[in-house]
Amino acid sequence: MADETAPVATVTGLYRGTFSGLEPLTKDTPLTLDEVRRSPIFYELELHPGHEKENLIIDVIYDNMSPLRLQDLMRGTDIPRGVRFWPDWFEIPPYREIRDIDGRRVYPRSPGIHTVRIRTAKRKLGNARDFSPANGGSTSPVFELVIASEAMR
């Protein structure tokens, strides 16, 4: 039986895809501008025990912008049954300039330190997107990633 107060899933890390597999993405391992243009960022979900049959809704919050809706993950299709950890991916927003939720200008693909938070919850029927704790909602801690300038290479 699932603990009703526990989140359905939490995000435990961010990764870049390499030829040898997934590599942790930290402030000390900057993304190149080419990687930002061509490659997604992978995040790892820890699916909590007791919620094995749940489908998930996921949003990414990049640089304090409005949450961007990611693809819903369906158990048995997108998330295989019996798998506790599962990677999925998102892309850095393809804008040169955009406004965050407070109306400030942000530059999502510019060199420097950027922040990412990912929220998860159970998927309900219909289009309701409820990230409340009552629905198994969870927001990850703030992850920081660095986009390198050409001069940093």
Side-chain angles (χ1 to χ4, degrees):
M1 181 87 178
D3 176 0
E4 293 303 318
T5 61
V8 67
T10 54
V11 175
T12 57
L14 295 181
Y15 301 86
R16 79 169 87 220
T18 66
F19 289 114
S20 59
L22 296 178
E23 174 183 290
L25 192 54
T26 68
K27 288 186 350 182
D28 299 326
T29 56
L31 292 166
T32 65
L33 293 174
D34 189 50
E35 286 176 307
V36 169
R37 283 189 285 270
R38 295 174 185 249
S39 304
I41 307 255
F42 291 86
Y43 60 91
E44 181 179 50
L45 289 171
E46 179 177 348
L47 304 168
H48 290 249
H51 292 291
E52 292 86 8
K53 297 180 182 174
E54 300 294 345
N55 298 317
L56 303 178
I57 54 172
I58 301 173
D59 283 357
V60 63
I61 303 164
Y62 184 82
D63 277 350
N64 202 34
M65 292 188 292
S66 296
L68 301 170
R69 181 180 181 161
L70 298 181
Q71 173 184 330
D72 294 351
L73 296 179
M74 308 303 279
R75 207 52 155 135
T77 305
D78 301 308
I79 305 173
R81 298 190 193 289
V83 174
R84 190 161 164 229
F85 293 91
W86 187 252
D88 200 14
W89 58 274
F90 65 90
E91 293 177 341
I92 293 175
Y95 311 108
R96 295 185 112 186
E97 177 183 312
I98 194 168
R99 299 210 181 257
D100 69 8
I101 57 178
D102 294 326
R104 295 177 296 219
R105 285 185 192 156
V106 292
Y107 304 91
R109 292 188 172 205
S110 68
I113 298 173
H114 296 271
T115 61
V116 175
R117 286 183 299 150
I118 299 172
R119 62 186 189 178
T120 60
K122 297 176 196 172
R123 183 178 185 271
K124 294 182 173 183
L125 293 176
N127 288 330
R129 294 183 66 78
D130 176 7
F131 290 95
S132 70
N135 194 40
S138 171
T139 300
S140 74
V142 174
F143 293 100
E144 292 183 330
L145 61 93
V146 175
I147 298 175
S149 67
E150 292 297 324
M152 293 174 72
R153 295 182 75 204

